């Protein structure tokens, strides 16, 4: 009897309707329109036809799915229902939500930015595990989850409630993919949480207002380093943190490029920023002041001093950021105009 091969699985493509790729002895792979590939084992017990889930491909390989099939058939030969046996085994082995969440988090350690990983870990440790962490992952219901999210809503943390639901869903989907849960119960909570009220940040959308802002920037009377940063910001269109941490070694004036290294970018990919003629002129004017150091915009060593150091540790960066925020506030009161 022909058996399923890895080549056949890789060559299979999703269709408009789900279809099956059959192996032998009751094992098959269900291919869904979204390209989800689910291992299923069909068997009969007590006169009834039943299905057992073995997880999803490629998390569960063809060889591993066959091993699970043979294990299930051994239970059948002993007169036992493999589905019921696996459920009992999961509970006895302590396959709890907390255990699966920790496993999923470890897989994300090198995928998430450090700050994102810490926040995800805090979400489980502080917001979820105290309530459902010790529960078997297969027994958690949508109602239990809703009570967890309602606690957050009662404290006015609606956005956190939605993000927590998203993290729970990721863990449940991972449990399904590894054959330790049948479904994701958070799906039943769609529309059950209070909507998040979006607050838009202040933005200038009128051309006349943009001109007014630029005139205020060019009329700024503070430190030359801050003035240069303010003038570069609308020319480069980068995040304030990326501009503040810019280093002279990253700029190539001949190629008219600023290459922001991957470790400073949110997506962990190098970002190339074209430099207009005006940007290069501003940077060249700044070179005599700060090019002796590493940072283009170093923290002031002393207020009013012409010497600039490289005290770019966390504390000095924080203090420097506060000073520049104050400088930005003074820009709003500046009434000098650029020449027409």
């Amino acid at each position: 009897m022909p058996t399923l091969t890895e080549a056949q699985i890789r060559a299979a493509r999703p269709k408009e309707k789900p279809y099956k790729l059959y192996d032998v002895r009751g094992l098959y792979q269900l291919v869904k329109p979204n390209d989800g590939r689910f291992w299923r084992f069909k068997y009969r017990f007590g006169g009834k036809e039943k299905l057992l889930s073995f997880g999803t491909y490629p998390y569960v390989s063809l060889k591993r799915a066959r091993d699970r099939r043979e294990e299930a058939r051994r239970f059948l030969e002993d007169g036992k229902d493999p589905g019921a046996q696996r459920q009992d085994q999961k509970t006895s082995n302590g396959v709890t939500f907390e255990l699966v969440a920790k496993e999923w988090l470890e897989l994300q350690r090198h995928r998430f930015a450090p700050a994102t990983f810490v926040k995800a870990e805090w979400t489980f440790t502080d917001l979820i595990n105290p309530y459902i962490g010790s529960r078997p992952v297969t027994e958690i219901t949508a109602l239990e989850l809703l009570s967890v999210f309602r606690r957050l809503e009662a404290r006015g943390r609606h956005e956190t409630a939605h993000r927590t639901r998203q993290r729970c869903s990721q863990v449940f989907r991972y449990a399904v993919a590894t054959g330790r849960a049948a479904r994701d119960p958070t799906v039943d909570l769609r529309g059950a949480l209070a909507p998040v009220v979006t607050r838009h940040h202040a933005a200038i959308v009128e051309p006349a207002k943009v001109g007014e802002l630029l005139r205020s920037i060019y009329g700024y009377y503070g430190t030359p380093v801050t003035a240069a940063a303010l003038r570069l910001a609308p020319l480069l269109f980068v995040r304030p943190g990326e501009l503040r941490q810019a280093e002279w070694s990253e700029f190539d004036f001949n190629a008219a490029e600023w290459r922001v290294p991957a470790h400073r970018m949110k997506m962990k990919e190098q970002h190339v920023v074209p430099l207009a003629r005006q940007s290069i002129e501003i940077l060249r004017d700044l070179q005599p002041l700060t090019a002796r150091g590493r940072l283009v915009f170093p923290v002031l060593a002393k207020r009013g001093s012409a010497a600039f150091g490289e005290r770019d540790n966390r504390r000095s960066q924080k203090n420097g950021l506060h000073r520049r925020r104050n400088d930005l506030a003074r820009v709003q009161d500046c009434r000098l105009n650029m020449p027409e």
Side-chain angles (χ1 to χ4, degrees):
M1 184 180 294
T3 59
L4 191 60
T5 65
E6 287 281 355
Q8 290 175 322
I9 294 174
R10 289 193 295 268
R13 295 291 180 267
K15 300 179 181 179
E16 290 184 3
K17 295 182 178 181
Y19 67 96
K20 301 173 183 177
L21 297 175
Y22 288 96
D23 193 50
V24 293
R25 295 166 64 85
L27 179 67
Y28 65 89
Q29 186 178 101
L30 179 66
V31 182
K32 293 194 174 183
N34 63 355
D35 205 21
R37 295 161 185 260
F38 300 83
W39 290 114
R40 297 287 188 265
F41 172 58
K42 183 168 65 173
Y43 66 99
R44 295 187 69 84
F45 184 82
K48 297 181 180 179
E49 187 175 280
K50 296 187 175 184
L51 280 178
L52 195 58
S53 172
F54 288 162
T56 60
Y57 182 87
Y59 289 107
V60 178
S61 65
L62 175 59
K63 180 180 181 305
R64 192 174 177 186
R66 285 172 174 166
D67 291 342
R68 293 182 177 181
R69 174 195 60 195
E70 294 307 310
E71 182 182 1
R73 293 190 69 86
R74 283 194 290 270
F75 280 114
L76 287 172
E77 292 172 1
D78 293 339
K80 300 176 182 179
D81 183 353
Q85 292 293 320
R86 192 173 72 173
Q87 183 67 30
D88 294 341
Q89 185 180 13
K90 286 179 181 179
T91 304
S92 63
N93 289 342
V95 183
T96 62
F97 180 89
E98 182 176 3
L99 182 67
V100 179
K102 284 182 177 179
E103 188 177 318
W104 178 82
L105 267 175
E106 282 303 312
L107 292 176
Q108 315 309 318
R109 184 178 292 276
H110 300 295
R111 302 176 186 175
F112 285 171
T116 304
F117 181 83
V118 170
K119 190 170 184 179
E121 194 173 36
W122 166 81
T123 299
F124 291 114
T125 303
D126 288 24
L127 305 183
I128 304 174
N129 289 342
Y131 306 104
I132 63 170
S134 60
R135 297 271 291 131
V137 70
T138 56
E139 296 181 11
I140 297 174
T141 65
L143 189 60
E144 285 181 89
L145 292 169
L146 184 61
S147 67
V148 175
F149 306 146
R150 287 281 189 249
R151 292 174 183 270
L152 296 171
E153 289 185 331
R155 292 152 57 187
R157 302 175 67 177
H158 299 288
E159 184 175 355
T160 302
H162 281 269
R163 291 186 182 276
T164 303
R165 173 187 171 276
Q166 181 185 26
R167 291 295 184 213
C168 287
S169 178
Q170 290 171 315
V171 170
F172 281 115
R173 292 202 307 270
Y174 174 72
V176 172
T178 53
R180 289 174 290 182
R183 63 187 299 273
D184 172 13
T186 65
V187 174
D188 299 330
L189 297 179
R190 288 176 181 169
L193 300 183
V196 178
V197 179
T198 303
R199 292 185 178 181
H200 298 287
H201 294 288
I204 296 176
V205 296
E206 300 176 12
K209 296 287 187 179
V210 175
E212 182 180 339
L213 173 63
L214 292 177
R215 284 191 291 272
S216 295
I217 288 175
Y218 274 82
Y220 173 70
Y221 55 84
T223 63
V225 175
T226 304
L230 286 171
R231 295 181 185 186
L232 279 172
L235 295 173
L236 302 179
F237 280 90
V238 294
R239 292 184 176 90
E242 293 163 10
L243 184 62
R244 181 175 58 81
Q245 297 175 30
E247 300 182 12
W248 283 112
S249 60
E250 299 165 1
F251 289 87
D252 185 343
F253 291 153
N254 293 327
E257 289 179 347
W258 172 25
R259 294 185 173 268
V260 185
H263 70 269
R264 290 220 313 272
M265 296 301 299
K266 184 175 182 180
M267 302 303 295
K268 303 304 178 185
E269 295 181 1
Q270 186 186 59
H271 181 51
V272 180
V273 182
L275 297 177
R277 173 181 54 81
Q278 297 90 333
S279 299
I280 294 177
E281 289 177 357
I282 294 171
L283 289 166
R284 288 196 183 280
D285 290 341
L286 191 60
Q287 276 184 319
L289 296 175
T290 68
R292 288 175 295 176
R294 176 171 58 89
L295 297 176
V296 178
F297 307 103
V299 177
L300 292 173
K302 183 179 180 181
R303 183 178 292 276
S305 172
F308 295 83
E310 285 198 60
R311 297 165 58 196
D312 55 342
N313 56 54
R314 184 174 297 179
R315 182 175 180 182
S316 61
Q317 283 185 353
K318 182 179 179 182
N319 293 339
L321 179 59
H322 286 322
R323 283 199 294 270
R324 285 170 191 171
R325 283 176 177 168
N326 292 336
D327 290 338
L328 286 170
R330 290 202 299 271
V331 169
Q332 304 302 320
D333 297 328
C334 182
R335 293 296 181 265
L336 299 177
N337 292 331
M338 288 176 54
E340 295 294 339

